[in-house]
Amino acid sequence: MPLQNPLKILMVSSEAVPFAKSGGLADMVGSLTKHLSGLGHDVKLLLPCYKGIEYEKKETIHLTVNVGFHSADITCSTTTLPGSEASVYLIEHPFFTDREGIYGNHDEEFFADNAKRFALLSRTVFSLVRALDWQPDIIHSHDWPTALVPIYLRTLEKDLGDRGTISLFTIHNIGYQGIFSLHDLHYTRLRVKDMCPKDEEHIDQLNLLRGGIRCADYVNTVSPQYAREIRTPRFGHGLEKELEERREDLFGILNGIDTEIWNPETDPLLPLKFSRNSLEKKQQVKNALQKRAGLPLNSDVPLIGMVSRLVEQKGFLELCGPEETSLQQILAEMKCQFIILGTGEQWCEEALRALDAKFANLYVNTGFDEELAHLIEGGSDFFLMPSRYEPCGLNQMYSLRYGTIPIVRRTGGLADTVIGQTENPSAENGLLFNDMSGEAIRSAIAEALRIYREEPERIQRMRTNGMAGDFSWDHSAQRYVELYRYGLRRRHIPDCDRPLNTETRSSFPDGESGVQSP
């Protein structure tokens, strides 16, 4: 049966799977677009056509886009998002097609003309909808590269907003803000006062993310806890004031995971499939992982896995930084095995390789290996994520789905998905700790190993609880639909009720948010 009152949704992003990817943003945009289309909504996706993108071109649309003092003639090639009916529009312009890389490359880490490049992307939005004679209900843009979209909707393209189109701006990582020289403003065709709604305010640089936060009809992040955290100086990266002012329009919706790719019952990268009803098979996957890593085959020794970027944000400064020996102490003093997969900063890779050479119970792979990543999720007993901050996090959800117990720091999406014994003993699915320190990590691991030795029934319960959770994109996409419809209702009923599902709320009474003052 066709969906009643389907929404018209225009998704705008600098990257999306399977066309271009530098991180989790691409996974989220591709998956959300696919699942919104699957729910019956009319979804279109606009993104740049970077050099090397391969796709099946269906037709082309020629557009003229005003950027800066000039008009740019561009071509939008159309295709379909694989696995869906969503239309994809790829901008073909030398800004994107004539060089390798999304935001930078080996020759230039961050392209000097990125302000101009992504202003073109954001301006193309409005030329495209006019060419298609199609007015979206929602324009949903993501992170600093498309932060100009809600600003344009309030200024140069105000007529589209007056006719009913609303904007949603999603912050995936507030640490990346799109900061440029104020001289780059002329590429956008905007005025200083468009970026500074307050007459008394003075700016000396262009901060695209700040502008998007101020001008979007609604703002959301990729987990409820992160939406609360970024309103504090500790996590707000200088934008906490703007976010606190928008708190009634700020939401947190947890990302989903691709449950077709990450499914222990069907995963082709596992040597043996298993489910929550056949968890005994997980031990054989553990054995395969130990063998792959050259670790002793011992079912009695708990195996801790990590698949991560090897950077300070992910807790590696506390694990193996120049002045920290917590990982070394864990390996030397605790009866466990450790497997770490990932790439990152040179100092971290070198420190981990040195530990790998020293300890027989550690295996480190400083590369990218998709099969090993699945094997770590499936075969580990525990999965460690000691992040400084984590807007959403996906690996803890992969781990839960595979019956691997996460050990995480209580922050961002980790706090929204991992349930500790103190929160709800019957629903416990992992272990959480609060402090960002090597000692806190060691204590959390020591407790996990104690439970493994002394409370096997609790380990089994935590595994089955985790595997019973619903972290699918079907669930998350429904939350976005609720938020879209709420925003559209408020056009006509300003004081209408907010979405009732607490997963989409970030405006909590004082004392309920769980955010501690720095």
Side-chain angles (χ1 to χ4, degrees):
M1 180 182 297
L3 179 68
Q4 291 186 340
N5 302 317
L7 297 171
K8 295 179 180 178
I9 305 163
L10 177 58
M11 201 74 65
V12 190
S13 178
S14 55
E15 53 184 280
V17 167
F19 304 100
K21 176 178 177 177
S22 72
L25 167 62
D27 294 304
M28 184 272 193
V29 172
S31 294
L32 179 58
T33 301
K34 173 182 174 180
H35 283 80
L36 289 170
S37 176
L39 291 173
H41 300 285
D42 181 4
V43 191
K44 303 184 190 302
L45 169 62
L46 175 67
L47 70 157
C49 184
Y50 302 105
K51 185 177 182 179
I53 288 181
E54 297 181 358
Y55 63 98
E56 181 182 351
K57 185 182 297 187
K58 294 191 173 181
E59 60 178 326
T60 57
I61 301 172
H62 297 284
L63 303 172
T64 299
V65 180
N66 294 320
V67 178
F69 302 112
H70 307 284
S71 295
D73 294 323
I74 67 171
T75 298
C76 270
S77 297
T78 68
T79 188
T80 302
L81 183 68
S84 79
E85 296 183 3
S87 298
V88 180
Y89 297 82
L90 293 129
I91 301 173
E92 295 185 356
H93 186 274
F95 281 175
F96 308 115
T97 58
D98 284 2
R99 69 185 85 169
E100 301 283 351
I102 298 177
Y103 313 108
N105 56 32
H106 292 297
D107 298 324
E108 189 176 1
E109 185 177 359
F110 189 80
F111 294 134
D113 61 349
N114 271 344
K116 185 190 300 187
R117 297 171 72 234
F118 292 110
L120 176 64
L121 168 60
S122 296
R123 289 291 288 151
T124 301
V125 168
F126 303 96
S127 297
L128 178 64
V129 297
R130 282 190 286 269
L132 296 175
D133 192 23
W134 180 81
Q135 178 169 341
D137 297 306
I138 300 97
I139 302 179
H140 187 168
S141 58
H142 300 262
D143 268 354
W144 70 264
T146 58
L148 287 171
V149 173
I151 305 174
Y152 287 138
L153 194 60
R154 287 285 181 98
T155 55
L156 301 179
E157 303 290 347
K158 188 174 182 294
D159 62 315
L160 188 64
D162 290 341
R163 296 201 305 271
T165 296
I166 65 171
S167 61
L168 174 65
F169 181 54
T170 298
I171 301 169
H172 294 256
N173 189 332
I174 201 167
Y176 300 92
Q177 299 183 5
I179 297 175
F180 300 93
S181 165
L182 197 56
H183 295 292
D184 288 326
L185 186 64
H186 75 271
Y187 293 129
T188 70
R189 299 192 74 210
L190 295 168
R191 302 162 296 179
V192 171
K193 72 176 186 178
D194 295 326
M195 307 294 292
C196 304
K198 299 175 182 178
D199 293 335
E200 72 277 8
E201 189 174 10
H202 171 76
I203 61 172
D204 55 9
Q205 60 184 7
L206 182 62
N207 186 317
L208 298 183
L209 195 73
R210 174 180 277 119
I213 291 168
R214 287 176 166 176
C215 292
D217 291 304
Y218 300 94
V219 180
N220 86 288
T221 68
V222 290
S223 72
Q225 179 67 11
Y226 192 57
R228 298 189 283 270
E229 290 175 346
I230 59 175
R231 301 204 315 264
T232 69
R234 183 178 180 183
F235 295 98
H237 286 263
L239 298 182
E240 60 274 1
K241 181 179 177 182
E242 283 81 2
L243 290 158
E244 181 61 27
E245 290 175 351
R246 297 300 312 273
R247 64 178 289 165
E248 291 302 319
D249 302 316
L250 174 64
F251 296 80
I253 300 177
L254 194 70
N255 281 346
I257 63 174
D258 191 324
T259 53
E260 295 180 5
I261 294 176
W262 295 96
N263 184 350
E265 298 183 44
T266 59
D267 192 336
L269 299 180
L270 294 184
L272 190 70
K273 316 297 186 290
F274 64 92
S275 70
R276 61 188 298 223
N277 296 319
S278 58
L279 265 171
E280 69 280 356
K281 296 179 181 178
K282 183 177 171 68
Q283 179 57 50
Q284 297 177 55
V285 181
K286 177 180 177 179
N287 290 342
L289 175 58
Q290 290 172 320
K291 185 176 181 180
R292 167 76 184 271
L295 296 171
L297 301 184
N298 190 333
S299 60
D300 296 328
V301 175
L303 177 56
I304 302 169
M306 293 185 77
V307 179
S308 175
R309 287 186 295 116
L310 308 181
V311 296
E312 184 176 332
Q313 180 216 327
K314 300 298 184 180
F316 283 95
L317 188 63
E318 286 72 22
L319 281 171
C320 59
E323 299 180 0
E324 181 58 75
T325 59
S326 60
L327 180 56
Q328 180 171 318
Q329 291 176 35
I330 291 166
L331 294 167
E333 300 170 7
M334 299 183 190
K335 188 179 180 182
C336 66
Q337 296 175 340
F338 233 104
I339 295 182
I340 301 174
L341 170 67
T343 61
E345 296 175 359
Q346 183 177 353
W347 71 265
C348 188
E349 292 189 6
E350 291 176 352
L352 288 172
R353 282 195 288 264
L355 290 171
D356 185 27
K358 183 177 181 180
F359 290 97
N361 55 339
L362 171 66
Y363 171 77
V364 173
N365 184 324
T366 54
F368 176 79
D369 189 322
E370 186 70 11
E371 181 179 356
L372 180 56
H374 281 247
L375 197 56
I376 290 172
E377 293 289 6
S380 298
D381 296 300
F382 299 98
F383 194 94
L384 179 63
M385 295 182 70
S387 304
R388 287 179 175 270
Y389 65 92
E390 196 67 63
C392 176
L394 295 176
N395 281 101
Q396 83 279 12
M397 291 187 272
Y398 300 155
S399 299
L400 290 167
R401 189 160 171 79
Y402 281 67
T404 297
I405 299 169
I407 305 170
V408 305
R409 182 166 174 267
R410 188 179 275 104
T411 185
L414 303 179
D416 288 317
T417 49
V418 180
I419 303 169
Q421 187 180 49
T422 56
E423 285 82 17
N424 187 341
S426 64
E428 180 186 18
N429 61 18
L431 295 95
L432 300 97
F433 60 95
N434 294 318
D435 295 339
M436 192 67 223
S437 68
E439 178 57 37
I441 297 171
R442 286 196 299 273
S443 296
I445 289 177
E447 175 62 8
L449 302 185
R450 184 199 66 78
I451 298 170
Y452 187 88
R453 292 191 309 269
E454 301 176 7
E455 302 183 62
E457 298 84 2
R458 183 176 168 190
I459 291 290
Q460 186 76 0
R461 184 173 67 251
M462 292 166 74
R463 285 175 171 168
T464 55
N465 283 344
M467 297 182 79
D470 180 7
F471 301 109
S472 70
W473 264 110
D474 290 336
H475 182 78
S476 299
Q478 288 285 7
R479 302 289 78 77
Y480 274 99
V481 171
E482 290 176 17
L483 182 51
Y484 295 153
R485 293 199 184 279
Y486 165 71
L488 293 168
R489 285 199 308 273
R490 279 196 68 191
R491 283 278 184 175
H492 308 288
I493 312 172
D495 60 348
C496 69
D497 292 336
R498 292 170 64 93
L500 295 179
N501 191 304
T502 57
E503 287 186 67
T504 62
R505 295 201 60 175
S506 70
S507 180
F508 288 87
D510 290 342
E512 293 185 15
S513 69
V515 178
Q516 298 179 353
S517 299

